[in-house]
Amino acid sequence: MTDEGWVAGVKAADIRDTVPGAADRGDGAADGSYAAGVEAVNTRGMVPGTYGPGEGTADGVCLAGIEAANTHDTVLGTSGLRDETADEDRPADVKPAATRDTRPGTGDPGDWTANDDWRNRFITEWQVEFSVSPVEGTDVSLGATIRYQQIHLEDFPARWRRYVLGHLAGPGPEDEREVRALRVAARHGLSSESLTVEQTGYWLTPAEAAELPGAEALLRILVRSYQPQCPAGDLASAEPGVGADPAARRAVAEAEVVNAEVASWASGQHVGQLKPAVLIGHLASVWRTGDEPALLAAARDRGFATVAEAAEAVRPFFLRSRFLTRDGA
């Protein structure tokens, strides 16, 4: 058996041909410790018990347009951005008090923590990724839970659309959100009448481009083209229930346990070795989409820029899905 593609007739739970190095040899024995007939691990019992609602929503705010933190005069031994100027060469008019709000420990208690000027998107995303709480002994991060929901939550596209259009439209009645978003777009020179064939062909499926009314076509383009600076952090703030859902957090914990179990079977059985084509096929199954344009539209409707980006997001959860498919068969 070769290492490329799925072999006709392979069962859903058989992952031997999804990880390079795990295909059958000529003598019928699988690579590493993949023994013929080995049963899939029952993941339902791997993370037993129940737990309360998730915690760990990031408290940082993403400041739109702020670049990476400027370390000028905030790191001892420097007086500029990596200019190798020693402290003794610092101009006489620069006083230590100038840094009291940017360097911890140099001002009054609470001065620098209460100042949001030093916060940026990198800090916000870091907080989301490392805000963890245990699920029966397995640490689950807020970021991983949000990505799981981004892939699997049935109504995530509606949530994402609500978030994006609300961000564009600004505060106001919910039932007027779309109208306000269209007005904002018009002020920037974008309307249903201004859309070109190239634009609709890029952002919409052929069926959507032919059938959607102009206003709805523009709304979908606005949603699909929107790329936030802090996707996980923004969503954690806008939709706190997404990251706190107990079932989703349990699924993430199960996935981590399954990945560790499979990795222990043999060298090269890590989820990082899964083929992109296999992950993309899995996405098409989860989202119940067919051709490539529809799959790309589905990914964009869930906040992904590309199908490849969505495939990387689903990578940590793929093996759990396969084992549960076998277990439920």
Side-chain angles (χ1 to χ4, degrees):
M1 184 184 299
T2 63
D3 187 39
E4 299 181 2
W6 290 93
V7 175
V10 70
K11 295 183 179 180
D14 187 349
I15 63 169
R16 289 177 294 176
D17 226 24
T18 67
V19 185
D24 289 344
R25 295 186 181 139
D27 58 3
D31 280 351
S33 57
Y34 277 75
V38 66
E39 291 297 327
V41 178
N42 186 341
T43 62
R44 291 183 176 174
M46 287 186 174
V47 189
T50 58
Y51 45 88
E55 299 175 352
T57 302
D59 59 1
V61 292
C62 177
L63 304 179
I66 292 184
E67 301 297 333
N70 188 334
T71 60
H72 182 76
D73 285 342
T74 63
V75 181
L76 295 177
T78 64
S79 61
L81 288 176
R82 306 180 187 275
D83 59 3
E84 301 182 357
T85 303
D87 282 338
E88 53 268 24
D89 296 328
R90 190 188 300 270
D93 59 341
V94 177
K95 297 180 174 57
T99 64
R100 59 179 295 172
D101 285 336
T102 59
R103 192 172 69 233
T106 60
D108 294 333
D111 279 358
W112 74 277
T113 57
N115 184 353
D116 284 340
D117 290 344
W118 58 274
R119 295 180 182 271
N120 56 49
R121 61 190 177 94
F122 301 105
I123 294 175
T124 300
E125 290 297 282
W126 184 91
Q127 288 178 309
V128 172
E129 289 304 318
F130 292 96
S131 293
V132 300
S133 56
V135 176
E136 293 295 326
T138 299
D139 286 337
V140 174
S141 75
L142 178 59
T145 306
I146 289 176
R147 283 188 293 275
Y148 177 87
Q149 296 281 64
Q150 194 174 2
I151 294 288
H152 297 95
L153 188 61
E154 191 72 24
D155 70 342
F156 192 93
R159 292 172 180 262
W160 183 251
R161 176 173 171 136
R162 180 169 62 241
Y163 161 70
V164 172
L165 295 182
H167 181 78
L168 296 176
E174 291 187 9
D175 59 353
E176 298 177 3
R177 181 187 298 114
E178 294 182 355
V179 174
R180 296 199 311 276
L182 290 173
R183 289 174 181 167
V184 171
R187 287 200 297 270
H188 288 79
L190 187 61
S191 66
S192 57
E193 292 78 15
S194 71
L195 291 175
T196 66
V197 174
E198 291 76 13
Q199 288 173 323
T200 57
Y202 184 82
W203 293 108
L204 304 176
T205 66
E208 289 173 333
E211 300 169 6
L212 287 179
E216 176 59 24
L218 178 55
L219 287 170
R220 293 196 188 187
I221 291 175
L222 291 176
V223 172
R224 292 172 184 175
S225 61
Y226 181 78
Q227 290 294 305
Q229 291 194 30
C230 311
D234 290 354
L235 195 62
S237 300
E239 297 277 348
V242 170
D245 180 68
R249 297 185 67 248
R250 181 182 180 86
V252 173
E254 289 177 345
E256 292 187 14
V257 173
V258 171
N259 293 344
E261 172 68 17
V262 172
S264 71
W265 291 353
S267 177
Q269 306 307 316
H270 188 269
V271 291
Q273 300 296 319
L274 291 167
K275 302 174 184 177
V278 172
L279 299 173
I280 291 173
H282 177 65
L283 289 175
S285 176
V286 172
W287 294 340
R288 297 184 292 277
T289 55
D291 56 18
E292 291 185 11
L295 186 61
L296 177 57
R300 287 169 169 169
D301 286 340
R302 290 177 175 269
F304 297 110
T306 64
V307 174
E309 182 181 318
E312 286 305 307
V314 80
R315 183 180 293 276
F317 315 118
F318 173 80
L319 295 181
R320 172 185 176 272
S321 299
R322 283 300 183 184
F323 285 173
L324 288 181
T325 301
R326 171 65 179 268
D327 187 60

